[in-house]
Structures are given as structure tokens and as C-alpha cells.
Amino acid sequence: MNYVPGTASLIDDIDKKHLVLLRDGRTLIGYLRSIDQFANLVFHQTVERIHVGKKFGDIPRGIFIVRGENVVLLGEIDVEKPCDTLLQQVSIEEILEEQRLQQQAKQETEKVKMQVLKDRGLSIPKADNLDEY
Amino acid sequence: INDSSDPEAEQVSQPEWPENGEEWSDGGEEDDEGTGMDCGLLQAMAEEDEEINVHNEETFGMELDSHGTTEDSSSGGLLQFREPPPPPPDPKPPARHSSPFPPRQMYVPRAGPGQCGRGRGHRRGLGRGQMFEDPAVMRIVQGRPSLKVTQSYFVCENTTHSTFSSFDLFAFSGQYVVLNQTGAFMFPMSRPCPSTPQSLTPKMMQLRFGASSPRQSPFYSSTSDSVQYPGPVTQLHPQHKRLLSQKQRIFPRKPDGWDPYCNLMTAKEKEWITRLQMIQLQSEHPYLEDYYYQEYYRRIEAKMAEEELGIRGKREPPKLTTLYITKTDSYTPVVHIEGSLGQVAVSTCYSPRRAISAVHGEQKDNRQQRLEVLSKIEKLFIVLLEVEETDRMKTAVLSEAEERKLMEETQKKVEHIYSQMQHHNPLDTGGEFLPFLLVSKGKRLLSRLLPFLKNDAALEMLRIVTSNLPTLMSRDTEEALPVLYPPFRNVIGGLTFSQLIKVLKDLTSDSLTLACQNKRSSRIDNSVAVVFRTDTIFQVAGQLSQCSLVEPLLLPSNLLTLFCRYLDKHTVHQLKSNMESATGFLALPS
């Protein structure tokens, strides 16, 4: 139980199923087993879920330790609630393929865009480069 | 968290991360490398571990009893839980052991280089306190092929009063010990690590339990509840503590399907985290840094107190009032201060400021007047421009009739301007031309008009200017007065002597004094020089010296100095003597 009511603590989330979104865009689902003061998380029976369009695929990952700073958001999953039927689960290979295609398409459009900008003498710096600055 | 200002700790070598990371890694890589090499290495490490174990026990094993010193709280104290010492210092005498030592030091013994170390029962580090920033960070990886679990271990304890007879840090692989406030400690044997050498455990346990006799910390709060309280309880608001205790009593047990992996994180660990968080909440200025928490509990407390004493009627909610407002019941929305024009409106939180009913009249009039003058000047300027234009056109060859007509028209215009400037405002007491002259553009207008004026008109203007010279000079913000000098010079050049004297007379002593005392004295000199050309002055002076000054001009003393610049000594002396004889007192010493 939370010893300091009114504050946020992950202690109450222990041993519950969670969904966590990481900074690199990955989505993990697993049972939160352990935490520490930096909000590093230990997940058990973790599954990485990839979404492409209306399809998704789960890749089992086992035990996952997430460094606290890489968490974007974390939320408890209500296991009793019925699952979303809109999304269709597919096999891992298929979803990976879908993801690859998606990435490819994105890169293509990006490339075209950059070229167009370049022709006009403009340039938009990439966000990920700025991060490291 | 760990403000390890412990002098002792600082003397010690800083804890270092073992650089030999690969030796710490678990068996994942071992598979790749092949087992041959590893087996031998690990075995060697294990052997060394054993040696260290034995050594530690020999060195420290028997000293379990003599723990629990009251090292003064000034010594760094335990890393994590640095509570500020409570106000009453610990009255209890130091513990009953002979050798004081820095009690709570978080020590995670360092593995020697090339060793896979294991936490040992290093009490107090014995001066070698290796304070790690976070005990949990220190991961001791068991150097066994099968084990891939890292354990963190720590000691948490009250830093200020060591009433614990024993506190030890020792970590087994797979086990850890935590001491809580009451001194009791748990020994979670529930999850024994398979690789733990079983031989160690019982012995350690024996040592541990044998020595322990937990004591109550003296400053423990009145609500001395059970173990579950997170560490630095003193920082909690008493109301908060009460709430917590209440909640704990009614803490429901949730019936759940048994999860075989549940409680991997033990209560102690959870407590540890909570304690850490609590520590982070500590501050010296709680009302500053954690206002809402303090306020919230204060209000709850007040409410509880009220309930306890019985509800005494419904109280009004506290209003947000400032100190300044003393009378809130009745207020006069408009206050009239004696001697002021208009009224001052008082604005309160009940009604905003009322519009001030100011006394109109003069203020507005002045502004309006000025605007009128300005607009008039503009209009007259246009006429002047036309006059100047026709003047320029005069050079062109025109028939006489046309020329005459043109001249008449021009003259009319000039007169128009003149009259306009003269009779601006019947109410104005300042003089006929003064409003225009006060405006710099008006001066410019006049200066350009002067060549066109007839003699008497020009003289009139000169008279007015000279008589109003002090006013003009004082209010000459844009320093436009010099613009008048050239045309006036011409005018003066055409004056007769008597007229000149009259003009001089008009230059009253006051005006000249003012002119001379003007800050811009150099400019005064210039102006005087300009207005009165040198030869004119010469003439004047000559005349003055000769005549007996029938009408003694009240010349200011410094007028002489002015004359000095333009005249030769002889004339000046004569003047001076004349003046002296006339006025009867010494003129200024020249």
C-alpha cells in the first residue's frame, strides 16, 4: 500500500499487468515485478507488441528490465476487461514484414520530402539528431 | 540522497565500479565463449570467495555484540537515510561497547580487481566505509554459472541514534538483510538461492540473532506502530501518521488467484523504496517546498480536532483577507480628501473602483488652447509659404499691374498673419503674440515673416520679444530662440538711437539678469552679440559714457562684463565711472 498517499508510487502497481511505452517507440506488455527509486522496471513474461495498421503481433521477450528514463508512459491493464476486437492478431513474421514495409514506405516519403526541400534550399533537421546535441 | 559529508567516509577511497565488467556478467556470454575457460575462472573466483568469507568471519564475526554505538550524528551517518537529527539530542549514553566507530556506514565491500566479490559481513566498514551512492546499485553478481540473479542489499537504519545492538550488513547471494527502525530485522529465507553455500547461512544467522536485541529508538514517535512505517517517520505530519495507522488496520486482504511469481519484490524492498521517496520529500522548509501537503494535513487536523471537541456550530470558511483591509463591513465607495479636486474611489474586493469624478476645466482648456495655437500656426504657415513664393516670383519679369496686384495680395496675407498672431485669444493675458512665440514653430514663423513686415510692425515685434525675453528663454525647450536673432539684427540695424534705447530699456534688468544667469551663458553671450552688433554696442557705450545718464539704467553688474568683451578698456572705464557716479555704488569689480 502506498505509504505516502497523495504521491505517485509504483509500489501499488507491483505484480500487475502493465503496458509500457518506451522512448524508442516500443510497446511492452508484462507483469511489473520490481521497481526502484529511479523507476527502473522489471517486467515478467514480457511481450513486445508491434502495431501496424489494424494488425498487431506479439513477440515474447521474457524478463525485461527497463531503465526508468526511457519510459514514456506506463499503465495498468485490466485483465478482466474484454480485449479490443478491432485489432487483428497476426503471426510474428507477418507483423514484422508489415512493419518493415511501413518503415520502407515512410523512408521513401521522407526521402522525397528531403529532396524537394533541398531543391528549394531548405532543410529541416531531424529530431533525433537534436536529442544528442 | 546520499549526502555523505562524513569525514571518515571521505577519507576512504572512493568506491569504484569494478572495471572488469565481463567477469560480472552472467552466463549468457559464457555460452558463447565456451565453458572451458569459464569453469576454471569461476572456480578460482569461488575459492577466493570462500577465503574472503572465512577471513571476514574471523575478523568481524565476534564483534557483533559491540555494535550499536552512538557515534555522534555528525558523522556522515548512513548514506541513504540521513534524517536531520531531531531536536532533543539523544540522551542515552553511548552503547555499551568499547570501540566506537562510525555506525552506519553503508558498506558494500569492494571486490578486488579480478575478483567476483560477494558482499560480506563488514560491519561498519571499520573506517573503510565504502559508501556507495545507492546500495541498490551495487550489484553483486554471483560468480556461478547457474545463477543469473543479482541482488541488492542495503542497510537501513536510523542514523541519529544507534540503539541497535547489532546491525550488520551482509549479503548472501540470494538473501539480504534489512534492519528497520525497531531494530528487528528480517531474514528472508523464503527464496534461498540455490547456489548459496548452506554452510554459511546458519552460522551467520546464529551470529546475527545472538547479538540482536533491538531497542526502541528514543525519539520514536508516539504512534509507535509496527514495522510497516516507512523510515523517516518524523518527517510525516502527525496527522498523516495517524491516518496511516488507521489505514493499515483496515487494510483488506485481496483474494487473488495465486500468482507463483508474486511478491518477488518483498515488503522490505517496497519499504525501502518508500523510505527513499520519503527521504526525498524531506526538506528544511516544509512549508516552503511542500506547502500543499502541510496545509492539507493541517486542515484535516483542524477538522478532526473540531470533531473531537464537538461540532460547535457551523463555522464560516476562512476568507482570504489581506491584512490591510480592516473594515470590511461598511465602506465608503468614494472618499473625498480635503483640499483635493475631485474624489478618490476606494476599490475593494466587493466592488471595483468607481470612476473618479474629476473637476474639469482648466486642464482641458490649456490643452485645447495649445492645440488651437498649433493648428493656427500651421494655417498661417501655409499663407507664409504663399507669400514667400510670390516673393521669389518677383524676380520674374512681370507687368507692373500684375506686380502691384501681387504685392497687394502679399501684403494682405502678411497682415492677415500678423493680425492672427496678435489677436489670438482675447482671454489670454500673456500678451498678444506670446502664445505663438512660445511654440518653436511660431518663432520660426515670425522669423520668416519679419522681412515682410513694415517698420513699425517689426519694431512692435522686437519690443514684445525683448520684453518677454525671460519667459521666452525659460520656456525655450527646443532652443528655437536663436532663429529669431538674424532677422532681429536687421531690424535693429534700422533703428534710430532713441528707439534703440527704448529697446534697451525694455530689456529690463530682470530679463538681462536672467539672460546672463542662464545656464547657457555662452549662448547668452552669443545672443547679446547677435542682437546687438558689436558696432551698435560700441555706439551705445560711447553714447552712454558721454551723456550723464539722465535716466540711469539699472544695469546689472555683470552687464559690464558683457561690455568688456566688446569694448576697449577705456570705454569700459568711462562707463564704469559713469555708472558709479550715477548709481552711487561700486559697480562690479572688473
Side-chain angles (χ1 to χ4, degrees), chain B residues 153-168:
Chain B
Y153 51 91
F154 51 86
V155 174
C156 35
E157 201 195 80
N158 275 316
T159 57
T160 48
H161 304 278
S162 63
T163 53
F164 301 103
S165 61
S166 67
F167 67 98
D168 251 344

mmCIF file with all atom_site columns, all heavy atoms in Angstrom, chain B residues 153-168:
data_model
loop_
_atom_site.group_PDB
_atom_site.id
_atom_site.type_symbol
_atom_site.label_atom_id
_atom_site.label_alt_id
_atom_site.label_comp_id
_atom_site.label_asym_id
_atom_site.label_entity_id
_atom_site.label_seq_id
_atom_site.pdbx_PDB_ins_code
_atom_site.Cartn_x
_atom_site.Cartn_y
_atom_site.Cartn_z
_atom_site.occupancy
_atom_site.B_iso_or_equiv
_atom_site.pdbx_formal_charge
_atom_site.auth_seq_id
_atom_site.auth_comp_id
_atom_site.auth_asym_id
_atom_site.auth_atom_id
_atom_site.pdbx_PDB_model_num
ATOM 1   N N   . TYR B 1 153 ? 21.479 -5.214 -1.804 1.00 0.00 ? 153 TYR B N   1
ATOM 2   C CA  . TYR B 1 153 ? 21.347 -5.297 -0.367 1.00 0.00 ? 153 TYR B CA  1
ATOM 3   C C   . TYR B 1 153 ? 21.699 -3.969 0.234  1.00 0.00 ? 153 TYR B C   1
ATOM 4   O O   . TYR B 1 153 ? 22.400 -3.149 -0.331 1.00 0.00 ? 153 TYR B O   1
ATOM 5   C CB  . TYR B 1 153 ? 22.218 -6.396 0.199  1.00 0.00 ? 153 TYR B CB  1
ATOM 6   C CG  . TYR B 1 153 ? 23.634 -6.308 -0.284 1.00 0.00 ? 153 TYR B CG  1
ATOM 7   C CD1 . TYR B 1 153 ? 24.583 -5.596 0.428  1.00 0.00 ? 153 TYR B CD1 1
ATOM 8   C CD2 . TYR B 1 153 ? 24.018 -6.922 -1.462 1.00 0.00 ? 153 TYR B CD2 1
ATOM 9   C CE1 . TYR B 1 153 ? 25.873 -5.511 -0.040 1.00 0.00 ? 153 TYR B CE1 1
ATOM 10  C CE2 . TYR B 1 153 ? 25.305 -6.840 -1.927 1.00 0.00 ? 153 TYR B CE2 1
ATOM 11  C CZ  . TYR B 1 153 ? 26.224 -6.148 -1.200 1.00 0.00 ? 153 TYR B CZ  1
ATOM 12  O OH  . TYR B 1 153 ? 27.501 -6.071 -1.663 1.00 0.00 ? 153 TYR B OH  1
ATOM 13  N N   . PHE B 1 154 ? 21.212 -3.778 1.343  1.00 0.00 ? 154 PHE B N   1
ATOM 14  C CA  . PHE B 1 154 ? 21.418 -2.475 1.938  1.00 0.00 ? 154 PHE B CA  1
ATOM 15  C C   . PHE B 1 154 ? 21.144 -2.569 3.411  1.00 0.00 ? 154 PHE B C   1
ATOM 16  O O   . PHE B 1 154 ? 20.618 -3.545 3.917  1.00 0.00 ? 154 PHE B O   1
ATOM 17  C CB  . PHE B 1 154 ? 20.484 -1.452 1.320  1.00 0.00 ? 154 PHE B CB  1
ATOM 18  C CG  . PHE B 1 154 ? 19.066 -1.929 1.324  1.00 0.00 ? 154 PHE B CG  1
ATOM 19  C CD1 . PHE B 1 154 ? 18.257 -1.735 2.421  1.00 0.00 ? 154 PHE B CD1 1
ATOM 20  C CD2 . PHE B 1 154 ? 18.544 -2.604 0.244  1.00 0.00 ? 154 PHE B CD2 1
ATOM 21  C CE1 . PHE B 1 154 ? 16.959 -2.185 2.415  1.00 0.00 ? 154 PHE B CE1 1
ATOM 22  C CE2 . PHE B 1 154 ? 17.246 -3.052 0.243  1.00 0.00 ? 154 PHE B CE2 1
ATOM 23  C CZ  . PHE B 1 154 ? 16.453 -2.842 1.342  1.00 0.00 ? 154 PHE B CZ  1
ATOM 24  N N   . VAL B 1 155 ? 21.519 -1.566 4.012  1.00 0.00 ? 155 VAL B N   1
ATOM 25  C CA  . VAL B 1 155 ? 21.173 -1.449 5.427  1.00 0.00 ? 155 VAL B CA  1
ATOM 26  C C   . VAL B 1 155 ? 20.439 -0.166 5.586  1.00 0.00 ? 155 VAL B C   1
ATOM 27  O O   . VAL B 1 155 ? 20.868 0.858  5.106  1.00 0.00 ? 155 VAL B O   1
ATOM 28  C CB  . VAL B 1 155 ? 22.438 -1.423 6.301  1.00 0.00 ? 155 VAL B CB  1
ATOM 29  C CG1 . VAL B 1 155 ? 22.067 -1.143 7.741  1.00 0.00 ? 155 VAL B CG1 1
ATOM 30  C CG2 . VAL B 1 155 ? 23.146 -2.745 6.185  1.00 0.00 ? 155 VAL B CG2 1
ATOM 31  N N   . CYS B 1 156 ? 19.356 -0.253 6.230  1.00 0.00 ? 156 CYS B N   1
ATOM 32  C CA  . CYS B 1 156 ? 18.708 1.000  6.527  1.00 0.00 ? 156 CYS B CA  1
ATOM 33  C C   . CYS B 1 156 ? 18.536 1.085  8.015  1.00 0.00 ? 156 CYS B C   1
ATOM 34  O O   . CYS B 1 156 ? 18.252 0.119  8.689  1.00 0.00 ? 156 CYS B O   1
ATOM 35  C CB  . CYS B 1 156 ? 17.368 1.116  5.828  1.00 0.00 ? 156 CYS B CB  1
ATOM 36  S SG  . CYS B 1 156 ? 16.477 -0.421 5.697  1.00 0.00 ? 156 CYS B SG  1
ATOM 37  N N   . GLU B 1 157 ? 18.709 2.222  8.458  1.00 0.00 ? 157 GLU B N   1
ATOM 38  C CA  . GLU B 1 157 ? 18.731 2.337  9.901  1.00 0.00 ? 157 GLU B CA  1
ATOM 39  C C   . GLU B 1 157 ? 18.559 3.777  10.284 1.00 0.00 ? 157 GLU B C   1
ATOM 40  O O   . GLU B 1 157 ? 18.743 4.670  9.487  1.00 0.00 ? 157 GLU B O   1
ATOM 41  C CB  . GLU B 1 157 ? 20.078 1.832  10.386 1.00 0.00 ? 157 GLU B CB  1
ATOM 42  C CG  . GLU B 1 157 ? 20.057 1.415  11.827 1.00 0.00 ? 157 GLU B CG  1
ATOM 43  C CD  . GLU B 1 157 ? 21.462 1.282  12.317 1.00 0.00 ? 157 GLU B CD  1
ATOM 44  O OE1 . GLU B 1 157 ? 22.046 2.326  12.632 1.00 0.00 ? 157 GLU B OE1 1
ATOM 45  O OE2 . GLU B 1 157 ? 21.951 0.168  12.338 1.00 0.00 ? 157 GLU B OE2 1
ATOM 46  N N   . ASN B 1 158 ? 18.238 3.913  11.492 1.00 0.00 ? 158 ASN B N   1
ATOM 47  C CA  . ASN B 1 158 ? 18.213 5.266  11.996 1.00 0.00 ? 158 ASN B CA  1
ATOM 48  C C   . ASN B 1 158 ? 19.617 5.771  12.156 1.00 0.00 ? 158 ASN B C   1
ATOM 49  O O   . ASN B 1 158 ? 20.453 5.139  12.775 1.00 0.00 ? 158 ASN B O   1
ATOM 50  C CB  . ASN B 1 158 ? 17.527 5.305  13.354 1.00 0.00 ? 158 ASN B CB  1
ATOM 51  C CG  . ASN B 1 158 ? 16.045 5.418  13.165 1.00 0.00 ? 158 ASN B CG  1
ATOM 52  O OD1 . ASN B 1 158 ? 15.602 6.186  12.356 1.00 0.00 ? 158 ASN B OD1 1
ATOM 53  N ND2 . ASN B 1 158 ? 15.315 4.628  13.915 1.00 0.00 ? 158 ASN B ND2 1
ATOM 54  N N   . THR B 1 159 ? 19.812 6.887  11.614 1.00 0.00 ? 159 THR B N   1
ATOM 55  C CA  . THR B 1 159 ? 21.196 7.354  11.639 1.00 0.00 ? 159 THR B CA  1
ATOM 56  C C   . THR B 1 159 ? 21.534 8.069  12.916 1.00 0.00 ? 159 THR B C   1
ATOM 57  O O   . THR B 1 159 ? 22.667 8.148  13.310 1.00 0.00 ? 159 THR B O   1
ATOM 58  C CB  . THR B 1 159 ? 21.432 8.326  10.482 1.00 0.00 ? 159 THR B CB  1
ATOM 59  O OG1 . THR B 1 159 ? 20.484 9.389  10.616 1.00 0.00 ? 159 THR B OG1 1
ATOM 60  C CG2 . THR B 1 159 ? 21.190 7.619  9.172  1.00 0.00 ? 159 THR B CG2 1
ATOM 61  N N   . THR B 1 160 ? 20.568 8.625  13.496 1.00 0.00 ? 160 THR B N   1
ATOM 62  C CA  . THR B 1 160 ? 20.919 9.513  14.597 1.00 0.00 ? 160 THR B CA  1
ATOM 63  C C   . THR B 1 160 ? 21.137 8.775  15.900 1.00 0.00 ? 160 THR B C   1
ATOM 64  O O   . THR B 1 160 ? 21.951 9.171  16.706 1.00 0.00 ? 160 THR B O   1
ATOM 65  C CB  . THR B 1 160 ? 19.822 10.537 14.816 1.00 0.00 ? 160 THR B CB  1
ATOM 66  O OG1 . THR B 1 160 ? 18.571 9.844  14.843 1.00 0.00 ? 160 THR B OG1 1
ATOM 67  C CG2 . THR B 1 160 ? 19.790 11.534 13.671 1.00 0.00 ? 160 THR B CG2 1
ATOM 68  N N   . HIS B 1 161 ? 20.411 7.782  16.085 1.00 0.00 ? 161 HIS B N   1
ATOM 69  C CA  . HIS B 1 161 ? 20.598 7.111  17.370 1.00 0.00 ? 161 HIS B CA  1
ATOM 70  C C   . HIS B 1 161 ? 20.844 5.644  17.136 1.00 0.00 ? 161 HIS B C   1
ATOM 71  O O   . HIS B 1 161 ? 19.998 4.947  16.598 1.00 0.00 ? 161 HIS B O   1
ATOM 72  C CB  . HIS B 1 161 ? 19.364 7.270  18.239 1.00 0.00 ? 161 HIS B CB  1
ATOM 73  C CG  . HIS B 1 161 ? 19.025 8.709  18.438 1.00 0.00 ? 161 HIS B CG  1
ATOM 74  N ND1 . HIS B 1 161 ? 19.663 9.458  19.373 1.00 0.00 ? 161 HIS B ND1 1
ATOM 75  C CD2 . HIS B 1 161 ? 18.183 9.510  17.784 1.00 0.00 ? 161 HIS B CD2 1
ATOM 76  C CE1 . HIS B 1 161 ? 19.184 10.689 19.314 1.00 0.00 ? 161 HIS B CE1 1
ATOM 77  N NE2 . HIS B 1 161 ? 18.284 10.750 18.352 1.00 0.00 ? 161 HIS B NE2 1
ATOM 78  N N   . SER B 1 162 ? 21.926 5.303  17.519 1.00 0.00 ? 162 SER B N   1
ATOM 79  C CA  . SER B 1 162 ? 22.231 3.903  17.299 1.00 0.00 ? 162 SER B CA  1
ATOM 80  C C   . SER B 1 162 ? 21.889 3.147  18.560 1.00 0.00 ? 162 SER B C   1
ATOM 81  O O   . SER B 1 162 ? 22.686 3.022  19.487 1.00 0.00 ? 162 SER B O   1
ATOM 82  C CB  . SER B 1 162 ? 23.700 3.752  16.973 1.00 0.00 ? 162 SER B CB  1
ATOM 83  O OG  . SER B 1 162 ? 24.440 4.172  18.088 1.00 0.00 ? 162 SER B OG  1
ATOM 84  N N   . THR B 1 163 ? 20.725 2.753  18.571 1.00 0.00 ? 163 THR B N   1
ATOM 85  C CA  . THR B 1 163 ? 20.352 1.941  19.721 1.00 0.00 ? 163 THR B CA  1
ATOM 86  C C   . THR B 1 163 ? 20.263 0.486  19.312 1.00 0.00 ? 163 THR B C   1
ATOM 87  O O   . THR B 1 163 ? 19.759 -0.335 20.029 1.00 0.00 ? 163 THR B O   1
ATOM 88  C CB  . THR B 1 163 ? 18.995 2.381  20.259 1.00 0.00 ? 163 THR B CB  1
ATOM 89  O OG1 . THR B 1 163 ? 18.076 2.376  19.162 1.00 0.00 ? 163 THR B OG1 1
ATOM 90  C CG2 . THR B 1 163 ? 19.095 3.776  20.834 1.00 0.00 ? 163 THR B CG2 1
ATOM 91  N N   . PHE B 1 164 ? 20.718 0.297  18.175 1.00 0.00 ? 164 PHE B N   1
ATOM 92  C CA  . PHE B 1 164 ? 20.689 -1.082 17.728 1.00 0.00 ? 164 PHE B CA  1
ATOM 93  C C   . PHE B 1 164 ? 21.951 -1.774 18.186 1.00 0.00 ? 164 PHE B C   1
ATOM 94  O O   . PHE B 1 164 ? 23.037 -1.271 18.018 1.00 0.00 ? 164 PHE B O   1
ATOM 95  C CB  . PHE B 1 164 ? 20.603 -1.147 16.214 1.00 0.00 ? 164 PHE B CB  1
ATOM 96  C CG  . PHE B 1 164 ? 19.383 -0.456 15.716 1.00 0.00 ? 164 PHE B CG  1
ATOM 97  C CD1 . PHE B 1 164 ? 19.487 0.806  15.157 1.00 0.00 ? 164 PHE B CD1 1
ATOM 98  C CD2 . PHE B 1 164 ? 18.158 -1.041 15.820 1.00 0.00 ? 164 PHE B CD2 1
ATOM 99  C CE1 . PHE B 1 164 ? 18.369 1.448  14.705 1.00 0.00 ? 164 PHE B CE1 1
ATOM 100 C CE2 . PHE B 1 164 ? 17.043 -0.402 15.363 1.00 0.00 ? 164 PHE B CE2 1
ATOM 101 C CZ  . PHE B 1 164 ? 17.149 0.844  14.805 1.00 0.00 ? 164 PHE B CZ  1
ATOM 102 N N   . SER B 1 165 ? 21.673 -2.805 18.707 1.00 0.00 ? 165 SER B N   1
ATOM 103 C CA  . SER B 1 165 ? 22.845 -3.514 19.188 1.00 0.00 ? 165 SER B CA  1
ATOM 104 C C   . SER B 1 165 ? 23.601 -4.121 18.038 1.00 0.00 ? 165 SER B C   1
ATOM 105 O O   . SER B 1 165 ? 24.806 -4.232 18.057 1.00 0.00 ? 165 SER B O   1
ATOM 106 C CB  . SER B 1 165 ? 22.406 -4.624 20.148 1.00 0.00 ? 165 SER B CB  1
ATOM 107 O OG  . SER B 1 165 ? 21.575 -5.526 19.435 1.00 0.00 ? 165 SER B OG  1
ATOM 108 N N   . SER B 1 166 ? 22.878 -4.505 17.128 1.00 0.00 ? 166 SER B N   1
ATOM 109 C CA  . SER B 1 166 ? 23.582 -5.113 16.017 1.00 0.00 ? 166 SER B CA  1
ATOM 110 C C   . SER B 1 166 ? 22.976 -4.637 14.730 1.00 0.00 ? 166 SER B C   1
ATOM 111 O O   . SER B 1 166 ? 21.776 -4.567 14.569 1.00 0.00 ? 166 SER B O   1
ATOM 112 C CB  . SER B 1 166 ? 23.479 -6.627 16.097 1.00 0.00 ? 166 SER B CB  1
ATOM 113 O OG  . SER B 1 166 ? 22.147 -7.021 15.890 1.00 0.00 ? 166 SER B OG  1
ATOM 114 N N   . PHE B 1 167 ? 23.782 -4.278 13.939 1.00 0.00 ? 167 PHE B N   1
ATOM 115 C CA  . PHE B 1 167 ? 23.302 -4.045 12.607 1.00 0.00 ? 167 PHE B CA  1
ATOM 116 C C   . PHE B 1 167 ? 24.446 -4.480 11.736 1.00 0.00 ? 167 PHE B C   1
ATOM 117 O O   . PHE B 1 167 ? 25.604 -4.210 11.985 1.00 0.00 ? 167 PHE B O   1
ATOM 118 C CB  . PHE B 1 167 ? 22.969 -2.580 12.374 1.00 0.00 ? 167 PHE B CB  1
ATOM 119 C CG  . PHE B 1 167 ? 24.172 -1.717 12.394 1.00 0.00 ? 167 PHE B CG  1
ATOM 120 C CD1 . PHE B 1 167 ? 24.782 -1.317 11.233 1.00 0.00 ? 167 PHE B CD1 1
ATOM 121 C CD2 . PHE B 1 167 ? 24.722 -1.347 13.599 1.00 0.00 ? 167 PHE B CD2 1
ATOM 122 C CE1 . PHE B 1 167 ? 25.896 -0.531 11.260 1.00 0.00 ? 167 PHE B CE1 1
ATOM 123 C CE2 . PHE B 1 167 ? 25.843 -0.558 13.623 1.00 0.00 ? 167 PHE B CE2 1
ATOM 124 C CZ  . PHE B 1 167 ? 26.423 -0.146 12.459 1.00 0.00 ? 167 PHE B CZ  1
ATOM 125 N N   . ASP B 1 168 ? 24.064 -5.158 10.841 1.00 0.00 ? 168 ASP B N   1
ATOM 126 C CA  . ASP B 1 168 ? 25.101 -5.747 10.035 1.00 0.00 ? 168 ASP B CA  1
ATOM 127 C C   . ASP B 1 168 ? 24.689 -5.682 8.608  1.00 0.00 ? 168 ASP B C   1
ATOM 128 O O   . ASP B 1 168 ? 23.514 -5.788 8.281  1.00 0.00 ? 168 ASP B O   1
ATOM 129 C CB  . ASP B 1 168 ? 25.280 -7.216 10.407 1.00 0.00 ? 168 ASP B CB  1
ATOM 130 C CG  . ASP B 1 168 ? 26.575 -7.390 11.133 1.00 0.00 ? 168 ASP B CG  1
ATOM 131 O OD1 . ASP B 1 168 ? 27.393 -6.465 11.055 1.00 0.00 ? 168 ASP B OD1 1
ATOM 132 O OD2 . ASP B 1 168 ? 26.755 -8.427 11.765 1.00 0.00 ? 168 ASP B OD2 1
#
